[in-house]
Amino acid sequence: MVKVEKFYITTPIFYVNAEPHIGTFYTTIVADTLARWHRLKDESVYFVTGTDEHGEKAQEAADKAGMTPKEYADSVAEKFRDTWDRLDISYDDFIRTTDERHAKAVVDIIKKVDKNGDIYKGDYEGLYCVGCESFKTEKDLVKGKCPEHPNKEIEHVKEETYFFKLSKYQKKLLDFYKKNPDFLSKKYSQEIINRVEAGLKDLSITRRSVKWGIPFPLDKEHVVYVWFDALTNYISVLDGPKGDLFKEFWPADVHVVGKGIDWFHSVIWPAMLLSAGIELPKRVFVHGWWLVEGQKISKSLGNAINPIDIAQKYSTDALRYFLIREMVIGEDANYSEKKLIERINGELVSDLGNLVYRVFSLAEKFEDEIVGEDELSGKLDKEAIDKKMDEMDLAGALEKVWEFVRETNKYITIKEPWKLKGEELSNVLYNVLEATRIIAIYISPFLPQTAEKIFRQLGIQPEKLEDASFTKFYGNIKKGTYLFQKIETE
Ligand code: MSP
């Protein structure tokens, strides 16, 4: 029997203090596109997302809304789920940190870490940013404020706490990075290595003054620090280390995260796992931030853009295409509706939409059998696309697919099929229809609705990557409407 490859991919779990916006949507479509790509390759894929519901920030948001933290978390978790459903996110499970299965896994991991002698009681005195849910040093601040949350006051915390011996894992982590060069995200790896080399301080993993959290199993006066709680979601969603899903899918193949939380995933999470004796994930993929007019999207700045509004205006696929195509791997990107419209009118309407419309109009009228010789497949660089997808350079992969779309358009312009008849016309139609079928396969992870429309117009069922080569044409053309509408601007 051929062994089926498995692929386990996660998004960060989202804080419930804010509703979904294009930043959180971006992380989610990156993971969704990769999950769909690996399904297209016939791998056994598990793709999870969820919500991070405990901690001071969630508590504050609930107080403000006049609800209990649980009621509040219920409403926002539902919002995330509903938004992802409406935007074609193909997640297999949705984990909430208020799920019982999650609390069990957190207690289990803490007991393992404790058994390994890595937890001790002490006092913490220092700074805390509720926006990041993270301890800070003076060095991290700019003019006394957290650079990511300049509108929030930094807290001075002085309380009894339990520490995790993070410092003990410095060498082990550095060895692990060396032996697994793909684990850290290239663009940010040196920064992580430098910081780990500079020394690791033990981490406070409980809060006494915070009530909204998982009770700390070694001392019920404390709750588990939100990050220790949240990171465990990646195994609690697999029902913990004894679960069947865990046996099938762990270790994670990729954790997709934004650059602001790289440290937690590249340093704290592997240290926790080393301590608990659990295999480490294979890769942390870090992307940059979406900015609006040069500023990171955040609740406090009130500059969030709701992906549902944009999708309703322009279509989900148009938004997915824009976000994926616009952000260069590892860099920040600026959101602008003007650029979105430019890409819709250029790449989606003129390149892809016109191609499909022109070809299908001609093919629908052609009454003989469509047969021909492959003259086009050499223009598709499958290897390059595969490589880019492996590197998670989604924008680069999409660009390569579009090169083929443009080559196919060029072929039509040169061949002028509207002037041809009989065998000659059949040959051109054959080439362009097969090219279109293959384009539909390649775009299906990125633009699932558009791919489906093309398959429907070709009169065939959705196909897998192994079908992406020229064969005998076997469709049954039913021309539909335009794939994308041109957006009129003044
Ligand atoms: N709850 C933590 C993650 C815990 S994972 C164990 C958290 N949540 S968050 O809601 O603030 O952000 C989660 C992720 O959303 C970020 O890591 C990032 O992937 C994505 N983004 C949030 N804002 C973003 C932008 N403005 N731009 C791009 N991605 C952004 O951190």
Side-chain angles (χ1 to χ4, degrees):
M1 217 172 81
V2 187
K3 193 172 166 291
V4 178
E5 293 264 343
K6 68 94 188 169
F7 186 74
Y8 176 38
I9 182 162
T10 68
T11 73
I13 50 171
F14 303 104
Y15 286 132
V16 289
N17 72 309
E19 295 190 353
H21 55 66
I22 53 157
T24 42
F25 179 49
Y26 178 76
T27 273
T28 312
I29 37 168
V30 166
D32 180 67
T33 303
L34 287 164
R36 287 176 184 270
W37 171 254
H38 286 266
R39 287 191 201 111
L40 200 65
K41 289 168 80 171
D42 240 351
E43 294 174 15
S44 169
V45 172
Y46 209 60
F47 164 35
V48 297
T49 185
T51 37
D52 185 355
E53 304 180 8
H54 292 127
E56 232 175 309
K57 183 146 101 167
Q59 167 103 53
E60 271 179 9
D63 289 348
K64 231 175 162 178
M67 289 173 163
T68 67
K70 180 66 168 66
E71 282 167 357
Y72 183 74
D74 284 348
S75 71
V76 184
E78 197 41 48
K79 192 96 185 207
F80 268 97
R81 221 185 233 282
D82 179 58
T83 304
W84 295 167
D85 287 341
R86 289 166 66 184
L87 297 173
D88 296 324
I89 302 301
S90 61
Y91 59 90
D92 294 298
D93 202 351
F94 189 100
I95 180 83
R96 297 181 53 184
T97 54
T98 49
D99 287 350
E100 214 173 292
R101 57 180 174 159
H102 177 72
K104 254 174 81 186
V106 172
V107 167
D108 183 66
I109 198 165
I110 285 171
K111 286 189 174 155
K112 284 198 169 97
V113 170
D114 183 46
K115 215 168 153 198
N116 202 26
D118 289 344
I119 294 179
Y120 64 94
K121 197 170 172 176
D123 289 301
Y124 176 82
E125 183 170 3
L127 307 170
Y128 193 82
C129 169
V130 179
C132 299
E133 290 284 15
S134 162
F135 302 98
K136 301 278 171 188
T137 62
E138 290 290 347
K139 263 202 332 252
D140 300 325
L141 308 182
V142 178
K143 294 192 188 140
K145 298 278 172 84
C146 165
E148 267 198 58
H149 301 97
N151 296 345
K152 281 211 180 266
E153 287 302 321
I154 287 283
E155 287 182 6
H156 284 263
V157 178
K158 184 172 191 262
E159 62 182 11
E160 175 192 283
T161 188
Y162 287 81
F163 285 96
F164 165 56
K165 286 187 191 164
L166 183 62
S167 56
K168 182 174 148 186
Y169 292 94
Q170 181 191 30
K171 185 164 180 318
K172 285 200 173 114
L173 285 170
L174 291 170
D175 286 349
F176 173 72
Y177 302 149
K178 206 177 241 167
K179 275 196 207 117
N180 299 276
D182 289 335
F183 176 76
L184 296 172
S185 248
K186 280 210 174 53
K187 175 130 179 94
Y188 302 98
S189 61
Q190 204 47 49
E191 192 186 323
I192 293 284
I193 292 169
N194 291 347
R195 281 179 68 187
V196 175
E197 275 175 348
L200 292 172
K201 276 212 205 127
D202 290 347
L203 177 72
S204 161
I205 56 160
T206 68
R207 298 289 309 270
R208 201 176 169 156
S209 55
V210 177
K211 295 292 162 237
W212 177 232
I214 296 176
F216 187 56
L218 314 178
D219 182 343
K220 296 285 157 63
E221 293 291 308
H222 291 239
V223 298
V224 177
Y225 168 48
V226 265
W227 274 99
F228 224 80
D229 166 346
L231 288 161
T232 308
N233 90 85
Y234 302 128
I235 54 182
S236 63
V237 72
L238 302 177
D239 297 329
K242 292 206 179 83
D244 289 341
L245 284 168
F246 184 90
K247 284 177 197 138
E248 190 173 346
F249 291 107
W250 191 258
D253 292 270
V254 192
H255 293 310
V256 177
V257 302
K259 67 180 183 185
I261 60 173
D262 185 14
W263 178 258
F264 294 95
H265 287 80
S266 295
V267 179
I268 294 177
W269 179 225
M272 283 168 66
L273 292 168
L274 281 168
S275 171
I278 298 172
E279 200 178 336
L280 305 199
K282 293 192 188 150
R283 191 167 188 176
V284 177
F285 176 69
V286 184
H287 64 73
W289 282 335
W290 277 96
L291 310 174
V292 175
E293 283 159 16
Q295 287 200 292
K296 188 185 176 228
I297 298 163
S298 84
K299 189 171 175 165
S300 42
L301 292 175
N303 59 356
I305 289 161
N306 182 339
I308 297 274
D309 293 345
I310 307 294
Q312 272 170 349
K313 204 163 160 192
Y314 302 108
S315 86
T316 303
D317 277 5
L319 178 60
R320 288 174 70 112
Y321 180 84
F322 170 74
L323 293 176
I324 291 180
R325 186 68 190 78
E326 187 73 19
M327 185 174 264
V328 176
I329 189 171
E331 310 271 328
D332 291 346
N334 259 297
Y335 177 83
S336 104
E337 207 158 327
K338 187 168 164 268
K339 282 201 254 176
L340 166 66
I341 294 173
E342 273 168 20
R343 288 212 187 262
I344 294 177
N345 286 348
E347 288 141 58
L348 295 180
V349 176
S350 301
D351 294 343
L352 181 64
N354 274 352
L355 164 70
V356 170
Y357 199 78
R358 284 205 287 179
V359 177
F360 285 46
S361 304
L362 283 170
E364 205 184 27
K365 284 187 233 132
F366 191 75
E367 286 175 351
D368 296 336
E369 192 189 0
I370 296 174
V371 282
E373 288 292 321
D374 172 10
E375 292 171 346
L376 256 178
S377 71
K379 303 281 185 197
L380 175 68
D381 196 344
K382 286 189 191 176
E383 251 173 59
I385 297 172
D386 216 51
K387 186 160 171 276
K388 299 237 172 250
M389 291 305 280
D390 270 352
E391 291 165 357
M392 295 180 202
D393 177 4
L394 302 187
L398 211 43
E399 174 57 25
K400 288 280 161 204
V401 176
W402 246 253
E403 278 172 18
F404 187 55
V405 172
R406 293 194 188 107
E407 285 294 340
T408 309
N409 269 322
K410 218 193 276 166
Y411 176 85
I412 301 180
T413 309
I414 293 167
K415 295 284 178 182
E416 301 185 301
W418 45 91
K419 291 187 181 160
L420 303 176
K421 280 207 286 273
E423 249 176 64
E424 272 185 332
L425 177 57
S426 171
N427 188 55
V428 175
L429 288 177
Y430 166 79
N431 272 283
V432 184
L433 287 169
E434 278 299 88
T436 309
R437 181 176 65 79
I438 289 164
I439 289 165
I441 296 174
Y442 272 96
I443 64 171
S444 63
F446 301 89
L447 310 174
Q449 288 187 17
T450 308
E452 240 190 85
K453 278 189 202 157
I454 301 177
F455 286 130
R456 219 176 304 134
Q457 295 192 28
L458 282 167
I460 59 173
Q461 292 297 316
E463 297 189 320
K464 294 273 168 79
L465 202 59
E466 63 183 23
D467 302 310
S469 322
F470 274 53
T471 59
K472 183 171 166 7
F473 179 73
Y474 49 86
N476 178 19
I477 306 295
K478 296 183 221 104
K479 190 188 77 179
T481 49
Y482 280 108
L483 295 177
F484 296 96
Q485 295 300 325
K486 186 164 193 293
I487 314 295
E488 298 302 338
T489 50
E490 333 235 303

